[in-house]
Amino acid sequence: MKHTIIAVLTVVCLASCSSSADRPDIIPAPKEVEVSSGEFVFGRTVKIAYTSEDLAPSAQYLACDLETVAGCKTELSPVWRNDDIMLSLSDDNAPEGSYLLEITSKEIRITGNGYSGVVNGIASLRQLVYGASLNS
C-alpha cells in the first residue's frame, strides 16, 4: 500500500503558534510553512537514516509507526545513503525543541535542535502521514 504526502513542504516550528488557511493541519501550528507542488510517495520499503547514535531510538519509533500506519517495511541506518528519511541534529542557535521538516518528492529531512526537536519533527510528520492515510 502506498501513501502520499501531497505538496513539497517545508515546516519550521519554533515557539510561535498562529493559524492560516494555507498551513497544514499540524498541532502546534508551525511558525513558518512553505508549500509547493509535488508529492512524496512511500514505497514498499522506507529507508531511515540518522546522523547520531543518540537518534537511534527516535528512528526506531518512526520506523515502527510507519510500518503500522503506512504499511511499509523500514530499514534503519546510521549512515546517509540517499535514504528516504534523514534524522539529524542542528548546530544553530534555535530554541531547544525546534525543528525543520523538509519534504520533497525525493526525501524527507527532519533536523532538530536537540533530541526533542527531532521528536517534535517526527510528531509533525506523523500528523501529515495520518492525514494522508485518512484521505486515501
Side-chain angles (χ1 to χ4, degrees):
M1 179 187 338
K2 289 187 177 181
H3 289 278
T4 304
I5 299 177
I6 302 297
V8 178
L9 174 69
T10 302
V11 177
V12 179
C13 187
L14 300 171
S16 174
C17 296
S18 63
S19 63
S20 167
D22 295 336
R23 295 173 186 249
D25 240 357
I26 299 173
I27 299 171
K31 179 178 180 185
E32 180 181 328
V33 175
E34 181 181 313
V35 180
S36 302
S37 63
E39 62 187 29
F40 179 87
V41 178
F42 288 101
R44 291 179 187 249
T45 302
V46 176
K47 297 176 183 174
I48 303 171
Y50 48 94
T51 59
S52 165
E53 280 299 319
D54 293 339
L55 297 177
S58 61
Q60 291 167 347
Y61 168 71
L62 177 59
C64 182
D65 202 51
L66 288 176
E67 289 174 3
T68 303
V69 175
C72 54
K73 294 182 180 182
T74 57
E75 294 177 7
L76 300 177
S77 172
V79 179
W80 173 252
R81 298 172 300 206
N82 272 344
D83 296 310
D84 300 308
I85 301 175
M86 166 59 92
L87 306 178
S88 61
L89 297 169
S90 105
D91 55 0
D92 62 16
N93 292 326
E96 175 71 25
S98 62
Y99 65 93
L100 174 65
L101 171 60
E102 299 173 283
I103 302 173
T104 70
S105 60
K106 295 181 181 183
E107 67 187 11
I108 297 173
R109 288 179 176 253
I110 298 173
T111 306
N113 189 7
Y115 185 84
S116 63
V118 173
V119 171
N120 290 339
I122 290 171
S124 292
L125 177 61
R126 290 179 67 227
Q127 291 175 63
L128 294 171
V129 171
Y130 283 137
S133 295
L134 294 174
N135 293 327
S136 62

